[in-house]
């Protein structure tokens, strides 16, 4: 008789093996498709950020409601990455598992991370430009653009250690979402696995490097083409945002994302399911005496 109430999901030990297999494939991917998929991932995460900003621009919502609802709609970004297919730097931090198992080299890991991170940056740049040209930032009486500027300034003003640790916490949750996605066998399995961890990191105010690329570049575009609007929104005279300020945020957040995803998720699960399993002695069956 077939199992009526069991789960068809992959077990954690099976997920560990899948993550390593996928990591090897990603590390060996040709440069052109890797870059193209990285461009898509940057745009996809930017679309999640776009929805988040729409929610945050509504002043009628309470803080908790706007944070939770904003986190919920931001899930679109990772859903597109996972279901449609794309290469996201933060998720690819799980390549650390295949590296730790000796299946890929340090050079192959760094090649993937550098190409994908750069492609994600270009993808967010392109989306930010298209969004500005569409007039989207003028919606809600200009509140969308104002919200973009305020969020970007808050990110630029984060002190280094806060940006770093928010990046760590963010990518623990992002990589846990990716890990649980590997357990699913259907689209709905994967979507549900994404929703709660991603909603949590956004609602908690943690820092995702690729999402920050989109928001901060859109803010810089608004500031450049609408300096009066930017000055009014930020409450200062002249330029308040800068390219140097953007990278001042991205550097610690990227480093934090790397630690959170590679160490606290990838290497921890590697120790649990690969190293510990390999160290266990083989179980020999007991021989009954006559």
């Amino acid at each position: 008789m077939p199992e009526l109430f069991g789960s068809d999901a992959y077990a954690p030990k099976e997920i560990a093996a899948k993550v390593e297999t996928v990591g090897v494939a990603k590390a060996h991917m040709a440069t052109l498709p890797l870059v193209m998929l990285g461009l898509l991932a940057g745009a996809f995460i930017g679309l999640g950020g776009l929805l988040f900003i729409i929610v945050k621009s509504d002043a009628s919502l309470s803080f908790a409601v706007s944070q939770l609802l904003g986190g919920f709609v931001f899930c679109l970004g990772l859903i597109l990455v996972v279901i449609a297919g794309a290469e996201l730097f933060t998720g690819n931090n799980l390549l650390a598992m295949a590296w730790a198992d000796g299946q890929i080299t340090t050079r192959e890991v760094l090649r993937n991370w550098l190409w994908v991170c750069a492609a994600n940056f270009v993808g967010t740049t392109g989306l930010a430009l298209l969004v500005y040209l569409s007039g989207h930032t003028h919606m809600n009486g200009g509140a969308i653009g104002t919200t973009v500027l305020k969020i970007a300034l808050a990110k630029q003003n984060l002190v280094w250690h806060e940006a770093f640790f928010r990046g760590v916490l963010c990518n623990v949750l992002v990589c846990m979402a990716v890990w649980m996605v590997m357990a699913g066998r259907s689209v709905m399995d994967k979507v549900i696995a994404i929703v709660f961890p991603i909603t949590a990191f956004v609602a908690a105010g943690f820092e995702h490097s690729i999402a920050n690329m989109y928001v901060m570049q859109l803010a810089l575009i608004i500031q450049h083409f609408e300096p009066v609007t930017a000055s009014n929104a930020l409450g200062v005279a002249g330029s308040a945002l800068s390219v140097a300020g953007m990278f001042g945020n991205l550097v610690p957040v990227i480093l934090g994302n790397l630690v959170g995803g590679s160490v606290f998720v990838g290497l921890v699960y590697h120790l649990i399911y690969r190293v510990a399993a390999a160290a266990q002695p083989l179980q020999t069956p007991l021989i009954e005496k006559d």
Side-chain angles (χ1 to χ4, degrees), residues 164-175:
F164 174 81
F165 286 110
R166 290 188 190 189
V168 171
L169 291 165
C170 165
N171 217 29
V172 167
L173 288 166
V174 170
C175 285

Side-chain angles (χ1 to χ4, degrees), residues 89-268:
F89 168 73
T90 48
N92 281 13
N93 290 167
L94 287 175
L95 265 69
M97 287 193 72
W99 170 81
D101 208 33
Q103 297 187 44
I104 54 178
T105 65
T106 301
R107 181 175 181 177
E108 288 171 331
V109 173
L110 294 178
R111 168 188 172 272
N112 178 279
W113 287 348
L114 289 171
W115 274 117
V116 171
C117 190
N120 289 169
F121 183 85
V122 175
T124 59
T125 305
L127 180 69
L129 183 58
L130 289 173
V131 166
Y132 180 76
L133 293 174
S134 75
H136 169 78
T137 55
H138 298 145
M139 290 179 64
N140 194 15
I144 296 287
T146 299
T147 302
V148 170
L149 289 161
K150 289 181 177 179
I151 291 173
L153 184 62
K155 292 182 180 297
Q156 179 175 283
N157 289 341
L158 270 179
V159 296
W160 201 96
H161 73 275
E162 285 189 2
F164 174 81
F165 286 110
R166 290 188 190 189
V168 171
L169 291 165
C170 165
N171 217 29
V172 167
L173 288 166
V174 170
C175 285
M176 285 307 305
V178 174
W179 178 273
M180 292 191 296
V181 160
M182 294 288 188
R185 296 177 186 266
S186 71
V187 170
M188 283 308 301
D189 290 344
K190 297 175 187 295
V191 169
I192 292 170
I194 288 169
V195 168
F196 288 98
I198 301 306
T199 299
F201 105 68
V202 177
F206 299 149
E207 295 285 303
H208 189 275
S209 55
I210 312 306
N212 288 8
M213 291 174 186
Y214 167 74
V215 174
M216 299 187 82
Q217 290 187 98
L218 181 56
L220 287 169
I221 292 170
I222 295 170
Q223 180 175 262
H224 178 77
F225 290 105
E226 301 178 26
V228 175
T229 301
S231 180
N232 292 336
L234 301 175
V236 294
S239 297
L241 301 167
S242 66
V243 173
M246 176 178 68
F247 283 103
N249 171 271
L250 290 179
V251 170
V253 171
I254 287 172
L255 292 175
N257 288 168
L258 273 170
V259 172
S262 298
V263 178
F264 291 158
V265 180
L267 294 183
V268 166

